[in-house]
Amino acid sequence: MDYLKIDWAEVDQDGHLVLPPEIAGQLGIEPGARLRIEQQGNHLRLHRPANHLNKVYIEPTNLCNLDCVMCIRSGWEEPLGRMTRETFDHILAGLREISPAPTVFFGGLGEPLYNPRTLEWIRQVKALGCRVELITNGTTLDERRSQQLIANGLDVLWVSIDGATPEHYADVRLGGELPKILENLDRLRRMRKGGHFPQPAIGIAFVAMQRNIDDLPELLSLGRRMGASLFMVSNVIPYNTEMQAERLYTRTLKNIAYMPSPFMPYLSLPKFDIDTLTQKAFIQALNSGYVVNYANNSFGNANDVCNFIQSGSMSIAWDGFVSPCWPLMHSHVSYLHNKEHHVRRHMIANVREHSLLDIWNDPVYMEYRQKVDSFRFAPCTYCGGCDLSEENEEDCMGNEFPACGSCLWSQGVIQCP
């Protein structure tokens, strides 16, 4: 996760901003690089160059041993399989060419440990100097696998837990047992070496729904007892009709239309206790139609922003095809405004035929990233009134496939680790 880092930049005699070499290197800023700059009040926000490959998502498999109520597999007809050793060898060769070494995240639309080669692949990627993360449902995290994850240098282990009681957990993750997950996680916690920053760090990923949102406070406490230092909460994406009733963001989608704008009234709030005395006023302020700033942190900046593009990431499916993001790795159907939304898979190229850097630096792919980083998203998420919002083929603003107007990630509604 990102923590606040403080350093100093300088302005040379020609008026050029000079960044510390360490920061410039981490962000891939080289002579001649073009940076997107946003100004808000006294602050400047610099975005990494579109040509910097900073993070690689690898999907070892789209198979899973659980049957979760909100899973994308409940509404798709995609081929299922596991990444082969040959495909991964092409990825590994490509990672060797990237400097500085990127973060590698093993995850996707399946259970990564359902591919028996994933543990060894973590070791090989870590040997290249990459930061390595993995997300798992925790069901197969036995003592042997835990020892291998620790020995192979995994930096962060994310575990998906969507309920704080055995009954609530089983109501979401069919086939899973919370006591067993917690037993596995606690054993790994105790097996790690001591210190202030034991590795791997443990993260908890929680999909919030109407049926389980009341479990969140207890899950935070449970996570602390399990040694978790990271928490990621996302909303549910309705991949079937039943999940539409589980959404927690109906009003939020409507409010997106009124997010930060020079024409909107502005409300600045200081830090104060959020308790039984203040929570009603605080919630009403958030829903007031103002642009709300709380202790110098805006509540409305995560709009029309592709975090996958801005983080400099690419996503590689189990069959080796590269996509710009998780949502475009596989064709699927979800529901938006009570209508089906058909997403067609967007494949840039296959790692078995092209190197990672050749794919990343392809002029067409580069142009696409620059466009997504700068264009105004179509208003599908809060409008949805036309047939164009039912597919990702084109939108009302002239953007062609893959059109991103209905993307809930770009509006801060859905999050991935």
Side-chain angles (χ1 to χ4, degrees):
M1 296 298 288
D2 295 327
Y3 297 96
L4 179 63
K5 298 178 181 179
I6 298 177
D7 210 324
W8 294 93
E10 297 180 354
V11 178
D12 63 20
Q13 294 181 347
D14 297 322
H16 298 151
L17 182 67
V18 181
L19 297 176
E22 179 183 359
I23 293 178
Q26 291 173 350
L27 297 179
I29 300 175
E30 300 176 346
R34 289 174 56 85
L35 305 180
R36 177 182 171 186
I37 302 176
E38 295 177 2
Q39 181 178 358
Q40 184 177 19
N42 295 323
H43 302 282
L44 291 178
R45 183 182 180 189
L46 299 179
H47 297 259
R48 71 175 67 252
N51 65 343
H52 180 219
L53 179 52
N54 176 63
K55 189 171 187 177
V56 178
Y57 289 98
I58 299 176
E59 180 185 65
T61 180
N62 61 356
L63 293 162
C64 188
N65 59 333
L66 295 184
D67 185 18
C68 302
V69 297
M70 70 293 194
C71 182
I72 190 173
R73 279 176 295 276
S74 66
W76 73 352
E77 298 179 356
E78 284 280 279
L80 302 176
R82 294 180 173 90
M83 182 174 286
T84 64
R85 179 182 286 111
E86 178 189 8
T87 297
F88 180 77
D89 285 345
H90 285 285
I91 298 174
L92 192 66
L95 291 173
R96 289 193 183 98
E97 299 175 349
I98 302 173
S99 180
T103 293
V104 174
F105 189 104
F106 286 93
L109 302 180
E111 166 53 46
L113 294 181
Y114 218 46
N115 188 326
R117 297 187 175 97
T118 299
L119 293 167
E120 172 61 16
W121 291 347
I122 290 173
R123 185 192 66 79
Q124 292 178 285
V125 170
K126 187 64 182 178
L128 300 180
C130 298
R131 174 182 171 84
V132 187
E133 303 186 25
L134 166 79
I135 189 167
T136 176
N137 59 35
T139 56
T140 63
L141 199 62
D142 56 20
E143 183 173 356
R144 179 185 64 84
R145 290 187 178 91
S146 295
Q147 182 58 52
Q148 284 186 277
L149 289 174
I150 295 170
N152 292 352
L154 183 69
D155 291 284
V156 182
L157 173 71
W158 289 95
V159 182
S160 298
I161 303 179
D162 303 310
T165 68
E167 296 77 17
H168 291 178
Y169 177 89
D171 184 48
V172 175
R173 294 192 168 263
L174 309 182
E177 299 178 1
L178 182 60
K180 182 63 176 178
I181 305 301
L182 297 180
E183 177 186 337
N184 292 344
L185 192 54
D186 189 53
R187 179 176 53 241
L188 181 138
R189 176 187 65 83
R190 290 182 280 106
M191 291 172 64
R192 298 181 304 177
K193 292 182 179 180
H196 293 296
F197 303 101
Q199 282 190 303
I202 296 173
I204 303 296
F206 177 81
V207 178
M209 295 173 276
Q210 292 199 17
R211 68 173 66 189
N212 69 355
I213 188 60
D214 289 341
D215 280 21
L216 182 56
E218 176 57 29
L219 182 62
L220 294 176
S221 299
L222 189 64
R224 292 191 191 98
R225 295 197 295 272
M226 293 297 105
S229 56
L230 304 168
F231 294 87
M232 174 71 73
V233 179
S234 179
N235 279 297
V236 67
I237 303 176
Y239 291 117
N240 54 54
T241 55
E242 292 77 14
M243 284 297 103
Q244 293 187 86
E246 296 286 350
R247 292 174 299 177
L248 297 171
Y249 49 88
T250 302
R251 178 186 293 175
T252 296
L253 292 185
K254 297 178 181 178
N255 288 348
I256 285 173
Y258 306 103
M259 287 300 184
S261 159
F263 306 105
M264 291 301 299
Y266 184 87
L267 171 62
S268 180
L269 297 175
K271 288 183 179 179
F272 53 77
D273 295 339
I274 301 177
D275 51 27
T276 55
L277 179 63
T278 64
Q279 63 182 2
K280 181 178 179 180
F282 184 68
I283 292 173
Q284 289 178 341
L286 293 181
N287 291 317
S288 64
Y290 282 70
V291 176
V292 179
N293 187 289
Y294 175 71
N296 207 31
N297 291 285
S298 175
F299 277 80
N301 278 344
N303 281 51
D304 293 356
V305 173
C306 178
N307 289 319
F308 293 99
I309 296 293
Q310 292 208 347
S311 65
S313 72
M314 67 162 52
S315 300
I316 308 174
W318 68 271
D319 55 8
F321 281 103
V322 171
S323 297
C325 59
W326 275 22
L328 292 175
M329 276 203 299
H330 297 283
S331 298
H332 63 275
V333 178
S334 61
Y335 288 81
L336 182 66
H337 303 297
N338 299 315
K339 298 189 299 183
E340 288 188 356
H341 176 62
H342 294 258
V343 172
R344 177 160 63 92
R345 183 183 192 186
H346 182 38
M347 298 172 288
I348 307 295
N350 198 294
V351 298
R352 296 192 300 269
E353 300 171 356
H354 306 275
S355 72
L356 293 188
L357 284 180
D358 283 346
I359 296 173
W360 182 254
N361 293 322
D362 178 80
V364 176
Y365 188 21
M366 176 76 75
E367 181 182 1
Y368 167 79
R369 296 198 306 271
Q370 291 173 338
K371 181 183 72 171
V372 173
D373 195 35
S374 60
F375 72 31
R376 179 70 179 175
F377 281 63
C380 306
T381 48
Y382 58 85
C383 173
C386 71
D387 294 342
L388 293 177
S389 67
E390 298 176 16
E391 296 179 328
N392 67 331
E393 298 297 331
E394 59 178 320
D395 62 32
C396 62
M397 302 188 73
N399 298 304
E400 299 178 346
F401 174 83
C404 303
S406 299
C407 179
L408 297 177
W409 279 265
S410 66
Q411 307 303 335
V413 176
I414 305 299
Q415 300 188 105
C416 295

